[in-house]
Amino acid sequence: MASDRPIAVGLLGLGVVGGGVARALADKAAAIEASVGRPVRLAAALVAHPRKRRSDVPAGLRITGEPSEILDDPAVDIVVEVIGGEEPAFGYIQRALHHGKHVVTANKEVMAKHGPEVLAHAAEHGVSIGFEGSVGAGIPIIGPLLRELAANEIGAVNAIINGTTNYMLTRMASDGLEYADALAAAQRLGYTEADPASDVDGDDAAYKLAILSSLAFRTTVRDTDVYREGIAKLAPADFAYAAELGYAIKLVAIAKRVGDLLQARVHPAFLPLAHPLAKVDGVYNAVELEGDLVDWAMFQGPGAGARPTTSAVLGDVISIAQAVAAGAPPARPPVLDRKLRIQPMADLETKYYLRLRASDRPGVMAQITRVLGDLRVSLASVIQKEVADAAGTAEIVITTHTAKESAVQEAVTKLAALDVVLEVSNLVRVEDPGS
Ligand code: HSE
């Protein structure tokens, strides 16, 4: 006989996202019950400091500092993990699965580092694991990869998947904000990780790309497989030259099949202004996928913040609760049956932007172009400007045709060693993914 007992949710974490989940579960109780066919109730929330006064959580919510009150409580059906970070979150997820509870998590770090183990553990215990909130916050992307696009052979994933850095880069480009002010603004809006270094150094995007590329290419991609470079070296001058040359600067996350190899990389890039990803501004994220059947499909939406992440987390809760209410078995876990090797970054072939400071005297440009020419790096454009506050100094900006990463890196080392070069200020890849 079907039960009409409420489906009980245990919440791990009551921070920015956890608070949003608690409030939305209460505010939308009637609509969720209508969609599930049974009430879905928040049983308790685990916090680090249970005595702290909280004004913004639903009245009557049971708050505990004891993990076992949720993880070991047989009455809890679904555990929602929104603590973030690797531990104790990973241990809690595994314990909840072990006790036969379905789990919904927004934890990209756990899924990027331990995804295959978590999926196997869920399958072993006959329960579901939802992780839509782990990538792109409010954008539905895990679900489409697992279901709606499952018939496709995916060739490429091109994405902007860190809301904090996209917000910062947008403000730096359009409002001329300094790096520190842009970061402070992103923190005020609740976009950043507990340690914002994870955002600005590219780690957060690398976690998300590991998750996306594992599902897209049906292979295990760990966070450590993803090459990453952050945004800290970008200066106002780079934004000015990008605009002059017709580009936007974005922190891109690119995964691409190259024969039996997989490219997986996160780094700042110049994107032509007409490229769809160049137009994704502010906290918005976007994921562009190439599938053999669908061709190109792009998913776009708010990529950080409490409400968009709550949207994804509750979507998973509702779909698991519907299956529980119907007595349906959990969906088959994603199949990661391929063994693609990661292409070494040194073998990457793309275009580059190079900004350097050099002495402004005869023969300097010839020395610089000789270094590049000897390494078969072909120039696409050269800009030279006098530096107003440093007499006898020129800023030189070079863009290249497609060249090999190893050659360009060697050229940078050789250029930096020239007497006439005062500083290699920045090297940024110039991409036109999908073209
Ligand atoms: N700090 C993350 C971001 C939050 O800025 O994208 C969403 O994962």
Side-chain angles (χ1 to χ4, degrees):
M1 201 183 80
S3 161
D4 56 3
R5 173 181 73 79
I7 293 171
V9 173
L11 185 59
L12 308 179
L14 205 47
V16 175
V17 177
V21 169
R23 285 190 296 278
L25 262 178
D27 294 349
K28 294 174 178 286
I32 293 173
E33 179 174 347
S35 139
V36 168
R38 271 167 61 181
V40 178
R41 297 276 182 267
L42 191 51
L46 174 73
V47 297
H49 304 288
R51 286 168 187 275
K52 186 171 141 186
R53 286 169 65 92
R54 292 162 211 276
S55 55
D56 55 351
V57 295
L61 173 61
R62 186 158 70 88
I63 291 180
T64 175
E66 180 45 63
S68 62
E69 285 189 25
I70 291 173
L71 301 174
D72 307 338
D73 178 353
V76 170
D77 302 284
I78 304 173
V79 168
V80 171
E81 185 279 307
V82 282
I83 299 171
E86 188 174 5
E87 289 293 358
F90 176 45
Y92 290 167
I93 289 171
Q94 293 292 70
R95 190 160 140 198
L97 295 171
H98 182 78
H99 287 187
K101 298 182 190 316
H102 307 281
V103 170
V104 173
T105 178
N107 196 317
K108 54 243 159 171
E109 187 169 351
V110 166
M111 293 310 288
K113 291 182 175 170
H114 309 288
E117 294 78 13
V118 170
L119 296 173
H121 202 194
E124 187 190 328
H125 290 276
V127 289
S128 296
I129 168 100
F131 50 102
E132 184 63 68
S134 66
V135 180
I139 311 176
I141 186 63
I142 304 292
L145 276 171
L146 291 178
R147 289 184 293 274
E148 290 81 8
L149 295 172
N152 285 264
E153 194 64 48
I154 304 290
V157 177
N158 304 317
I160 292 173
I161 38 178
N162 181 266
T164 297
T165 48
N166 205 47
Y167 175 81
M168 289 174 65
L169 296 177
T170 304
R171 296 291 311 272
M172 289 167 82
S174 58
D175 304 335
L177 242 58
E178 292 289 341
Y179 178 86
D181 295 334
L183 178 57
Q187 284 178 301
R188 273 197 301 279
L189 290 163
Y191 299 155
T192 56
E193 295 306 300
D195 176 3
S198 175
D199 295 299
V200 296
D201 293 346
D203 296 346
D204 177 85
Y207 295 148
K208 294 166 179 167
L209 188 64
I211 297 168
L212 286 184
S213 43
S214 295
L215 301 180
F217 301 101
R218 293 172 45 184
T219 189
T220 298
V221 180
R222 307 268 180 189
D223 63 314
T224 45
D225 293 324
V226 179
Y227 171 84
R228 73 199 73 167
E229 242 177 72
I231 64 165
K233 278 178 73 181
L234 292 168
D238 297 313
F239 291 93
Y241 286 116
E244 188 174 332
L245 292 162
Y247 293 95
I249 304 179
K250 297 291 179 188
L251 182 71
V252 295
I254 296 176
K256 192 165 137 189
R257 274 291 288 265
V258 190
D260 285 343
L261 299 177
L262 185 68
Q263 242 177 45
R265 51 195 171 101
V266 167
H267 53 74
F270 278 38
L271 296 178
L273 287 172
H275 193 283
L277 291 179
K279 303 184 181 83
V280 177
D281 282 333
V283 74
Y284 272 63
N285 282 191
V287 181
E288 197 188 47
L289 295 169
E290 187 207 12
D292 61 343
L293 297 174
V294 73
D295 200 10
W296 285 96
M298 181 149 147
F299 300 77
Q300 185 171 347
R307 290 171 67 82
T309 311
T310 295
S311 164
V313 166
L314 287 189
D316 277 343
V317 168
I318 290 168
S319 95
I320 291 173
Q322 285 169 335
V324 170
R332 266 174 68 77
V335 180
L336 308 179
D337 57 349
R338 297 197 179 132
K339 300 216 177 322
L340 297 181
R341 280 188 305 116
I342 301 293
Q343 185 190 47
M345 197 60 186
D347 294 344
L348 174 70
E349 293 190 5
T350 188
K351 297 175 183 169
Y352 296 82
Y353 153 96
L354 181 63
R355 177 167 63 86
L356 45 86
R357 279 188 175 216
S359 305
D360 195 2
R361 53 185 162 84
V364 169
M365 192 64 89
Q367 285 191 56
I368 291 169
T369 54
R370 190 173 319 117
V371 167
L372 293 160
D374 287 350
L375 287 159
R376 310 179 77 80
V377 178
S378 168
L379 308 191
S381 73
V382 180
I383 302 172
Q384 176 178 337
K385 289 188 179 166
E386 270 183 305
V387 178
D389 55 1
T393 304
E395 184 154 65
I396 298 171
V397 166
I398 293 167
T399 61
T400 74
H401 290 296
T402 300
K404 201 163 174 183
E405 174 90 12
S406 54
V408 173
Q409 295 293 353
E410 189 179 341
V412 166
T413 306
K414 289 194 162 147
L415 288 171
L418 290 179
D419 286 345
V420 295
V421 171
L422 309 174
E423 170 191 272
V424 176
S425 313
N426 215 348
L427 174 73
V428 185
R429 295 173 190 87
V430 178
E431 303 281 348
D432 195 359
S435 65

